[in-house]
Amino acid sequence: MAIMFMILFLFALMIIGVPVAAALALASLAFVVVDGLPPMIVLANMVNGINSFPLIAVPFFILAGNLMNSAGITTRIFAFARAAVGWMHGGLGHVNVGASVIFAGMSGAAVADAGGLGNIEIKAMRDAGYDTDFAVGVTAASSTIGPIIPPSLPLVIYGVIADASIGQLFMAGIVPGLMMALALMAMVAWYSRRRNYPRDLNFQFGRLGRTFVDAFLPLMTPMIIIGGIMFGIFTPTEAAIAAVAWCIFLGVGVYRTLDWRRILKVSFDTVETTAAIMLIVAASTIFAWILTANQTAQHFSQLMVTLTDNKVLLLLIITLIVLVIGLFMETIAAITILTPVLLPVAVGLGIDPVHFGIIMILNLMIGLLTPPVGMVLYVLSRVAQVPFERCVTATAPFLIPLITVLLLLTFVPEFSMWLPTLVYR
């Protein structure tokens, strides 16, 4: 009964606009007081929740993405993607997706992709005569690739909560991320044929070579991160630090687009973003601890089994639960709350924790494209200067390829498990 009170109190606080971290902490504190436990247990668990070495990767990956944006490196990435796939029908739509795949290997955050590349992509598509709705829809959908292809901030958080290998999670995200890109490009091709969108550029090896040389050093960033982890040169946390060092080297030493004043500003922005994330993680930790201590996961598993013992149906129910939660809750909070409850159910069905992590993160990325939370939509509403409601309707058709990929990944685990099995097992 006390657990139900805590959950209802949490949702009540969120409905009236209390920040997620504060709502989680207050709901947990209310349970502790009602249950007669010492209130200090809340603070102790919150501190322990962020006392984790893998979590050090979070601020460094955020800083790397911010440095890339501030150094103007996104422009070079966009130019290379344009030369590579701009010759196709609806060329700039394909460029949009391709640039997001490249940038995904550097930032690991959908909002960073939407804010950094989105401004360049939407302006270029508008100037070329594309509908604003199409430009916004493609940009929003392609930004969700960022947290699937490594490095990925949500996968780091999930790995810490689930006690799963972050290296394996990173490897597991590569193929699904590419599948998302191919599915979105298929959607772009269908739209382009239907609306007769033009080719952006004729394919020229010379242009491709020039833009590749111009973008070569930024393109090395994902190679440093992924290659270093795959070959055991460094851990994911150390890879994040290496990525920051590389970005500073590019911005200060090579392109000279970063000075110390700009680095300081980017660092302050990173501290602000990291503080918000860590507050959510800390508050979610005590909430998850209460759920675990009261065997909520076990009770939920028993309830699920009483509904049906069909594995396919149970997977669909879990997917639906995560999708619905993703509509209303911020990604990091959803991960830290849902993982302790749903992971035991998934493991009981014989699902690998790494595979389940990819399913959960993709579910929650779709939530970034749907109201009422829809953080990517809010960012693009500002970037494109269009109403939020218009962003929602523009993005809706692009949910079809993303949900198709989600179902494929859910029921064909080999798509996500092939690479980590090859590298680690």
Side-chain angles (χ1 to χ4, degrees):
M1 192 67 183
I3 289 288
M4 185 60 67
F5 165 75
M6 179 181 71
I7 293 172
L8 291 175
F9 186 44
L10 169 66
F11 281 105
L13 290 171
M14 292 177 64
I15 288 170
I16 64 175
V18 176
V20 174
L24 285 165
L26 288 172
S28 302
L29 181 61
F31 174 89
V32 166
V33 171
V34 170
D35 211 44
L37 297 171
M40 282 300 294
I41 201 169
V42 173
L43 186 59
N45 273 277
M46 289 178 70
V47 172
N48 287 335
I50 57 175
N51 185 23
S52 169
F53 177 71
L55 282 179
I56 298 174
V58 172
F60 284 102
F61 279 135
I62 293 172
L63 180 56
N66 288 343
L67 287 169
M68 284 284 179
N69 280 330
S70 187
I73 292 171
T74 47
T75 306
R76 299 171 187 271
I77 294 169
F78 184 78
F80 171 64
R82 193 172 189 176
V85 295
W87 55 271
M88 303 169 71
H89 278 291
L92 283 178
H94 296 292
V95 171
N96 196 318
V97 178
S100 291
V101 171
I102 297 170
F103 194 68
M106 304 176 190
S107 72
V111 173
D113 186 317
L117 280 171
N119 193 32
I120 302 169
E121 292 166 339
I122 291 174
K123 183 181 183 304
M125 293 180 76
R126 277 174 165 168
D127 291 345
Y130 288 78
D131 296 336
T132 297
D133 288 5
F134 178 73
V136 169
V138 177
T139 304
S142 64
S143 71
T144 60
I145 298 172
I148 304 298
I149 292 179
S152 164
L153 299 181
L155 284 178
V156 171
I157 303 297
Y158 170 84
V160 171
I161 303 296
D163 196 24
S165 166
I166 294 173
Q168 290 187 38
L169 286 165
F170 278 9
M171 292 302 105
I174 295 175
V175 173
L178 296 176
M179 289 172 63
M180 292 167 67
L182 290 173
L184 289 173
M185 291 179 80
M187 190 73 170
V188 168
W190 179 79
Y191 257 107
S192 300
R193 294 284 183 182
R194 193 176 174 200
R195 299 185 179 182
N196 198 30
Y197 286 140
R199 303 173 191 269
D200 180 48
L201 297 169
N202 292 325
F203 181 79
Q204 295 179 4
F205 279 108
R207 182 189 294 115
L208 181 64
R210 287 192 302 275
T211 55
F212 175 74
V213 170
D214 198 34
F216 177 74
L217 291 177
L219 292 173
M220 287 295 294
T221 309
M223 298 299 102
I224 291 170
I225 296 169
I226 299 169
I229 294 171
M230 283 184 68
F231 293 107
I233 299 172
F234 36 59
T235 66
T237 302
E238 293 163 347
I241 298 169
V244 169
W246 180 247
C247 291
I248 291 174
F249 167 71
L250 292 182
V252 175
V254 179
Y255 301 126
R256 302 187 184 280
T257 50
L258 285 177
D259 54 27
W260 293 111
R261 183 176 298 176
R262 185 170 292 184
I263 291 174
L264 191 62
K265 181 184 182 303
V266 167
S267 300
F268 280 128
D269 291 342
T270 301
V271 168
E272 184 179 338
T273 305
T274 302
I277 291 175
M278 289 303 182
L279 275 174
I280 293 172
V281 172
S284 301
T285 300
I286 179 62
F287 192 87
W289 175 80
I290 291 171
L291 294 178
T292 304
N294 286 271
Q295 298 185 317
T296 305
Q298 289 86 333
H299 296 320
F300 185 74
S301 298
Q302 292 168 5
L303 174 63
M304 297 283 281
V305 172
T306 58
L307 292 175
T308 178
D309 58 357
N310 185 301
K311 180 179 177 179
V312 173
L313 190 55
L314 281 171
L315 271 173
L316 284 174
I317 292 171
I318 291 173
T319 297
L320 184 61
I321 289 170
V322 179
L323 274 173
V324 171
I325 295 295
L327 299 180
F328 300 97
M329 191 171 287
E330 195 274 337
T331 301
I332 303 301
I335 293 169
T336 51
I337 292 171
L338 291 177
T339 301
V341 177
L342 295 181
L343 183 59
V345 181
V347 172
L349 293 173
I351 300 173
D352 190 286
V354 172
H355 176 214
F356 183 71
I358 300 299
I359 296 172
M360 175 177 280
I361 301 308
L362 179 49
N363 261 295
L364 295 175
M365 289 307 101
I366 293 172
L368 290 177
L369 306 181
T370 52
V373 176
M375 289 302 299
V376 165
L377 299 182
Y378 284 109
V379 170
L380 289 180
S381 178
R382 292 196 301 271
V383 168
Q385 296 183 336
V386 297
F388 177 79
E389 296 78 11
R390 188 175 173 187
C391 288
V392 173
T393 56
T395 305
F398 292 92
L399 296 178
I400 297 171
L402 295 178
I403 292 174
T404 301
V405 172
L406 172 62
L407 293 174
L408 281 172
L409 293 175
T410 300
F411 297 111
V412 187
E414 288 76 15
F415 283 127
S416 53
M417 293 306 297
W418 170 73
L419 197 52
T421 300
L422 181 68
V423 175
Y424 286 96
R425 304 181 183 183

